[in-house]
Amino acid sequence: MLSFAEENYLKAIFHLSDSGATEVSTNAISDHMSTKPASVSDMIRKLDEKGMVTYKKYYGVNISKKGKMMALQVIRKHRLWEVFLVDKLKFNWDEVHEVAEQLEHIRSGLLIQRLDEFLDYPKVDPHGDPIPDENGEMAVAKKTPLDKVEVGVKGKIVAVNDEGSSFLQYLDKIGIYLGARLEVTGRVDFDGSMEILIDNKQKVFISREVSQNILITD
């Protein structure tokens, strides 16, 4: 059984390593976790001893097969709890991350199975991120950043890259939400800002930075 801190480190290494595709430096983990490199080294040593990560001096750390499964289960719990908080308790999508960070460490596998069933087996969380099933499998749909599409393209908003409260609150303010249909109706070459039509009724202007953080599919 892992401690809450060990689970948090595994989740961080999983994300930073692009799901185990590449090694991660201790400095990158230190920056991500907002902690000292010495503390990271101590934790990596513990996780290595438990078979959760592999570490090579000068090359960095990567997550093992065993560690990846554990990280995916923590991510599964986090995202299921986010769905529950938004759909059943009516939290806003910018309010759920910190609460889910606490709930993701609940140990009961039966509770998570019942939660998944109660929510009717959702595939994505309120931010559009895929939810792993109990075997660690998850369906990943093709998503395109809005800034990469041409004028005239239509699509559905399926995810956001930035899950920070200020960004999500901004999207709420201008009427952008997951599942919204949109059409790119104009683009300014000078700064990359664009005009979009939401649900065929509301036009808004957004900056390039905003468009880079909105993901759509056909």
Side-chain angles (χ1 to χ4, degrees), residues 4 18 35 44 62 67 77 93 103 113 164 167 181 197-198:
F4 294 175
D18 191 19
T35 190
I44 288 172
N62 206 339
K77 289 185 283 186
W93 65 342
L103 294 169
Q113 290 176 9
F167 181 68
R181 303 295 306 188
L197 176 64
I198 304 171

Side-chain angles (χ1 to χ4, degrees), residues 30-82:
S30 175
D31 290 342
H32 183 85
M33 302 292 292
S34 299
T35 190
K36 297 178 181 178
S39 299
V40 173
S41 297
D42 289 342
M43 179 59 75
I44 288 172
R45 192 176 304 111
K46 292 178 182 178
L47 292 172
D48 190 22
E49 290 172 354
K50 294 183 178 183
M52 296 292 170
V53 301
T54 57
Y55 176 72
K56 293 181 181 179
K57 195 173 183 179
Y58 306 121
Y59 287 92
V61 62
N62 206 339
I63 196 162
S64 68
K65 183 177 180 180
K66 181 179 178 182
K68 183 176 180 179
M69 179 56 70
M70 182 63 70
L72 283 166
Q73 291 308 309
V74 176
I75 292 167
R76 166 177 163 79
K77 289 185 283 186
H78 182 104
R79 293 177 179 172
L80 282 173
W81 283 119
E82 287 195 335

Side-chain angles (χ1 to χ4, degrees), residues 10 67 76 82 95 124 159:
L10 272 185
R76 166 177 163 79
E82 287 195 335
E95 298 174 323
V124 296

Side-chain angles (χ1 to χ4, degrees), residues 200-217:
N200 289 315
K201 58 185 179 182
Q202 178 186 2
K203 282 189 176 183
V204 297
F205 284 91
I206 59 174
S207 69
R208 173 183 286 167
E209 182 177 2
V210 170
S211 66
Q212 290 171 338
N213 283 288
I214 295 174
L215 303 176
I216 67 168
T217 190

Side-chain angles (χ1 to χ4, degrees), residues 19 28 34 48-49 52 86 106 120 131 135 147 164 177 184 205:
S19 306
S34 299
D48 190 22
E49 290 172 354
M52 296 292 170
V86 169
I106 289 175
D120 198 23
I131 299 174
N135 298 314
D147 69 307
Y177 61 96
V184 178
F205 284 91

Side-chain angles (χ1 to χ4, degrees), residues 1-12:
M1 186 175 293
L2 301 179
S3 68
F4 294 175
E6 288 170 333
E7 288 184 348
N8 286 335
Y9 268 87
L10 272 185
K11 188 172 66 168

Side-chain angles (χ1 to χ4, degrees), residues 176-195:
I176 290 179
Y177 61 96
L178 289 188
R181 303 295 306 188
L182 61 80
E183 178 182 357
V184 178
T185 54
R187 185 193 302 273
V188 178
D189 291 335
F190 173 69
D191 61 2
S193 60
M194 60 173 57
E195 179 188 64

